[in-house]
Amino acid sequence: MPARIPLDANAILAATEEILRRHGPDKATVVDVARALGVSHAAVYKHFPSKQALREAVTRRWLDRSRDALAVIAADSAVPPARRLRTWLHALLAGKQAKVREDPELFAAYGILAAAHSSVATDHVADLLGQLTAIIADGAADGSLRTDDAAATARVVFTATAKFNHLAHAAEWQNPGIGAELDEVCSLLLDGLHTRMSP
Amino acid sequence: MPARIPLDANAILAATEEILRRHGPDKATVVDVARALGVSHAAVYKHFPSKQALREAVTRRWLDRSRDALAVIAADSAVPPARRLRTWLHALLAGKQAKVREDPELFAAYGILAAAHSSVATDHVADLLGQLTAIIADGAADGSLRTDDAAATARVVFTATAKFNHLAHAAEWQNPGIGAELDEVCSLLLDGLHTRMSP
DNA sequence: CAAGTTACAAGCTTTGACATCTGTTACTCA
DNA sequence: TGAGTAACAGATGTCAAAGCTTGTAACTTG
């Protein structure tokens, strides 16, 4: 009987993240989470309406951490927008590579939610697109990037780099040449985005 | 007892394709194929060393048909290379959409082979890259597309359009806006590839 | 002897009984 | 009355036994 801290949503999230990491998304049960907290599984259901909601909350927290790390790069106005775009796309890839390697269980949990069309996945993509839009808008503002609509261009850039950001390609992120490949795609895209010397 | 045509590799391939279409890759057995041909399953093994080899042969034939259809577009020198590139990428997408819709079982069989790193999949990609390289080389030759190395550029274009050509995105090909999205990516890529007016 | 068959071992799937998990409800207790 | 528990029904998952499937080998036949 551990001295019981009163149960709150945060303690449940932390315990769930731990269980998810240990057992993986297929084996992690809410009974496991409750046992780790020293309560009955029904107690967990007082704080979260379903196992699905619990998983989403854990995954959202996990994704928000990487979103925040990328936001620092996106907002760094000391770096010219074209270079910032390239750096940001590389950081996005590096972050995903690290997650697959170091946190495969949580990554798998995210994959399951994305496949189920959970809002966690679409919201995360929307966050990333927002950052990309901000970089491109900065480029449009200082005249270094040519675009009519920063948000639309951001979507196109995100689509063209799908191989480096979409879950479906996770297996390919372990290939050694992947960073160089992203660099080449970036170069071609930036060639298209740079302001022309003449019409 | 149907009047038995002497068994040959081609008859086996046709029967396998039919069985694969009917039962799907998970349920299709070589006993089924043999039954459809009115022979024992061991007879099939006289012509193909394994079930895997049989499946690969069927899938290869199926992929070669679409490769040939695309080759006509790639080789059409009446169309300027930039426009030909765009048309080819759209045709590739349209062909895949049609296959997923009309031949989901054979498409699934292809997916299984690709996941198993079969040479069928890598060879098919190599064929497609060859066609793309030819288009880009034509553009380099007539001065309309800027590239140092047509094959390398073809790889970059293929990567940047992964969302429209890679199996992993098959589910997204049914979205209504997908053609327009490809168009936007093409435009950005072609902006990058077009010869500049000045350095 | 080319083309096919029957018979069989090893390895996978199905199957069905059994256990566990999810989510709810009626209850307890400070 | 808010926070948790015990008990439960229905869905889901597990596991071993039985039945197919794959691939091989020895055998048959025109």
Side-chain angles (χ1 to χ4, degrees), chain A residues 6-59:
Chain A
L7 200 58
D8 70 342
N10 224 48
I12 295 175
L13 287 179
T16 304
E17 185 166 329
E18 181 56 25
I19 294 291
L20 220 39
R21 240 189 274 274
R22 259 228 268 292
H23 299 3
D26 296 339
K27 294 281 183 185
T29 72
V30 354
V31 173
D32 289 333
V33 173
R35 192 167 26 238
L37 291 160
V39 299
S40 72
H41 80 280
V44 174
Y45 280 95
K46 296 285 181 190
H47 295 264
F48 291 91
S50 68
K51 180 183 184 176
Q52 168 90 350
L54 180 54
R55 258 206 197 149
E56 291 190 357
V58 170
T59 307

Side-chain angles (χ1 to χ4, degrees), chain B residues 22-42:
Chain B
R22 259 228 266 296
H23 299 0
D26 296 340
K27 294 282 181 183
T29 72
V30 354
V31 173
D32 290 333
V33 172
R35 193 169 24 238
L37 291 162
V39 298
S40 73
H41 80 279

Side-chain angles (χ1 to χ4, degrees), chain A residues 146 159-160 169 181 197-198, chain B residues 146 159-160 169 181 191 197-198:
Chain A
R146 182 178 52 83
T159 298
H169 295 277
E181 214 180 330
M197 296 300 117
S198 71
Chain B
R146 182 177 52 84
T159 298
H169 295 277
E181 214 179 331
D191 280 350
M197 295 301 115
S198 72

Side-chain angles (χ1 to χ4, degrees), chain B residues 130-154:
Chain B
Q131 294 187 16
L132 207 42
T133 302
I135 297 174
I136 290 170
D138 280 0
D142 76 5
S144 64
L145 298 179
R146 182 177 52 84
T147 176
D148 291 340
D149 175 345
T153 302

Side-chain angles (χ1 to χ4, degrees), chain A residues 13-198:
Chain A
L13 287 179
T16 304
E17 185 166 329
E18 181 56 25
I19 294 291
L20 220 39
R21 240 189 274 274
R22 259 228 268 292
H23 299 3
D26 296 339
K27 294 281 183 185
T29 72
V30 354
V31 173
D32 289 333
V33 173
R35 192 167 26 238
L37 291 160
V39 299
S40 72
H41 80 280
V44 174
Y45 280 95
K46 296 285 181 190
H47 295 264
F48 291 91
S50 68
K51 180 183 184 176
Q52 168 90 350
L54 180 54
R55 258 206 197 149
E56 291 190 357
V58 170
T59 307
R60 199 179 285 276
R61 228 172 53 142
W62 182 71
L63 289 173
D64 285 355
R65 276 178 240 146
S66 21
R67 179 202 56 192
D68 295 346
L70 284 167
V72 173
I73 295 171
D76 183 0
S77 52
V79 178
R83 165 161 302 254
R84 215 191 307 160
L85 181 63
R86 196 187 281 270
T87 305
W88 189 88
L89 288 168
H90 272 92
L92 178 58
L93 172 60
K96 301 219 174 204
Q97 286 176 312
K99 284 202 205 84
V100 173
R101 229 178 318 102
E102 290 158 30
D103 236 348
E105 307 297 8
L106 283 179
F107 192 83
Y110 172 47
I112 289 166
L113 293 181
H117 297 105
S118 158
S119 71
V120 172
T122 54
D123 289 354
H124 181 58
V125 170
D127 282 347
L128 295 179
L129 276 176
Q131 294 188 17
L132 206 43
T133 301
I135 298 174
I136 290 170
D138 280 1
D142 77 4
S144 64
L145 298 179
R146 182 178 52 83
T147 174
D148 291 340
D149 176 345
T153 301
R155 279 197 300 277
V156 173
V157 169
F158 202 68
T159 298
T161 54
K163 177 162 178 183
F164 312 99
N165 66 52
H166 197 292
L167 284 140
H169 295 277
E172 299 165 74
W173 298 338
Q174 303 311 317
N175 296 351
I178 194 81
E181 214 180 330
L182 172 55
D183 230 41
E184 290 181 290
V185 172
C186 281
S187 295
L188 180 52
L189 294 175
L190 287 170
D191 280 350
L193 286 170
H194 275 315
T195 47
R196 303 294 182 89
M197 296 300 117
S198 71

